[in-house]
């Protein structure tokens, strides 16, 4: 009867486990008791206990020494927290003049941050800068490529959300001919996502449930729309405010390139 504690179908069990992991991550780095997880997730105590056991076994959570029993007796409370380095992630910000890379752990602790100016906004030169900052960030974090759990790259231009290919990027000549997602997948055996930089900025500010319009205003113009924590895309160049023609005497394109 080794499966007596399994709750529902395998899919439901995965959903319950994900809910518990989100709750622990939301309170990181503070350890949480099972009773607190029951309250935060709305799940039953046996379900939470099973999820915690699964996450500890998988290496995502760590258990702490049980708190001393209360003055009224009873069993000490089990407390758990994220095991930070279980799933470090790599973030890239690729721009026409600067390429940055950062590595953080599961508990959002920064393990590395590297920034490199780019002399020429040309595709081949930019890709070499990407490889350089990625290598430096991994060395600074003391990690190998096979230890990274996920990679996200921010790039200027319109990005095909399915393939991760850049479809239009006037600020970086030749950038549409580069398969950045494929290049990173050749190096990292983990999920890789390439996204428009303004969209990622909007998601970062909005959080899981926020609603906002984020405008990137500088040498380039861009915007990202998040509603209830979900990124909203248009079709084609929708939302690319750098291409909008203002009415009246300001007709023509904005004096910037997206």
């Amino acid at each position: 009867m080794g499966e007596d504690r399994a709750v529902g179908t395998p899919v439901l069990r995965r959903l319950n486990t994900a809910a518990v992991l989100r709750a622990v991550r939301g309170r990181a780095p503070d350890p949480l008791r099972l009773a607190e997880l029951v309250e935060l997730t709305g799940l039953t105590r046996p379900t939470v206990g099973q999820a915690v056991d699964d996450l500890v076994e998988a290496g995502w959570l760590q258990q702490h020494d049980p708190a001393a029993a209360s003055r009224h007796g009873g069993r000490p409370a089990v407390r758990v927290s994220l095991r930070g380095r279980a799933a470090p992630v790599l973030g890239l910000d690729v721009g026409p003049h600067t390429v940055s890379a950062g590595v953080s752990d599961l508990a959002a602790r920064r393990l590395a941050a590297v920034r490199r100016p780019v002399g020429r906004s040309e595709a081949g030169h930019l890709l070499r800068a990407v490889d350089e900052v990625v290598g430096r960030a991994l060395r600074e974090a003391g990690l190998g490529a096979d230890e990274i759990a996920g990679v996200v790259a921010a790039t200027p231009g319109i990005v095909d959300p399915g393939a991760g290919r850049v479809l239009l990027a006037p600020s970086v000549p030749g950038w549409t001919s580069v398969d950045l997602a494929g290049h990173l997948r050749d190096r990292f055996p983990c999920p890789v996502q390439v996204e428009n930089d303004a969209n990622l900025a909007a998601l970062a500010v909005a959080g899981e449930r926020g609603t906002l319009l984020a405008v990137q205003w500088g040498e380039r113009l861009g915007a990202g729309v998040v509603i209830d924590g979900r990124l909203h895309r248009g079709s084609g160049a929708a939302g690319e405010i750098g291409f909008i023609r203002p009415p009246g005497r300001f007709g023509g394109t904005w004096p910037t390139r997206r």
Side-chain angles (χ1 to χ4, degrees):
M1 300 296 291
E3 294 297 316
D4 283 352
R5 295 189 63 195
V7 179
T9 66
V11 172
L12 181 58
R13 183 168 174 175
R14 287 174 62 90
L15 291 173
N16 292 337
T17 302
V20 170
L21 183 60
R22 282 195 302 270
V24 177
R25 188 171 187 270
R27 293 292 185 88
D30 298 330
L32 289 174
R33 294 177 291 108
L34 292 188
E36 292 174 298
L37 289 172
V38 169
E39 182 178 351
L40 289 170
T41 61
L43 300 172
T44 65
R45 189 179 183 91
T47 300
V48 169
Q50 179 65 69
V52 166
D53 288 345
D54 290 345
L55 289 166
V56 169
E57 184 178 355
W60 290 77
L61 297 185
Q62 58 187 350
Q63 287 185 328
H64 297 265
D65 292 335
S70 70
R71 59 184 176 182
H72 301 293
R75 292 185 302 173
V78 175
R79 298 159 65 242
V80 295
S81 66
L82 291 173
R83 193 172 72 84
R85 294 182 73 96
V89 294
L90 172 73
L92 277 167
D93 183 13
V94 183
H97 305 296
T98 306
V99 177
S100 303
V103 180
S104 293
D105 68 10
L106 190 63
R109 287 185 291 260
R110 188 172 69 180
L111 304 179
V114 178
R115 182 181 176 90
R116 180 190 186 281
V118 179
R120 302 194 312 271
S121 58
E122 179 269 326
H125 192 68
L126 205 58
L127 195 60
R128 288 191 290 274
V130 167
D131 288 337
E132 180 183 330
V133 298
V134 165
R136 287 169 56 189
L138 290 176
R139 289 193 294 273
E140 185 176 311
L143 297 168
D146 59 341
E147 296 177 273
I148 297 296
V151 177
V152 176
T155 176
I158 300 173
V159 179
D160 179 342
R165 293 295 297 262
V166 180
L167 305 177
L168 181 66
S171 61
V172 184
W175 195 230
T176 56
S177 65
V178 174
D179 182 6
L180 178 61
H183 183 77
L184 293 170
R185 287 176 183 131
D186 287 341
R187 182 165 186 173
F188 293 96
C190 67
V192 172
Q193 181 178 0
V194 175
E195 181 57 271
N196 172 265
D197 48 8
N199 285 345
L200 287 178
L203 284 170
V205 175
E208 290 189 4
R209 298 190 180 277
T211 296
L212 61 79
L213 166 65
V215 178
Q216 181 187 62
W217 186 284
E219 183 177 342
R220 297 176 289 119
L221 285 173
V225 179
V226 175
I227 300 176
D228 293 333
R230 297 185 63 181
L231 179 66
H232 280 247
R233 306 178 185 274
S235 59
E240 294 296 319
I241 63 176
F243 294 130
I244 294 175
R245 293 175 176 270
R249 64 190 182 89
F250 297 104
T253 57
W254 289 95
T256 54
R257 295 190 302 171
R258 183 73 177 90

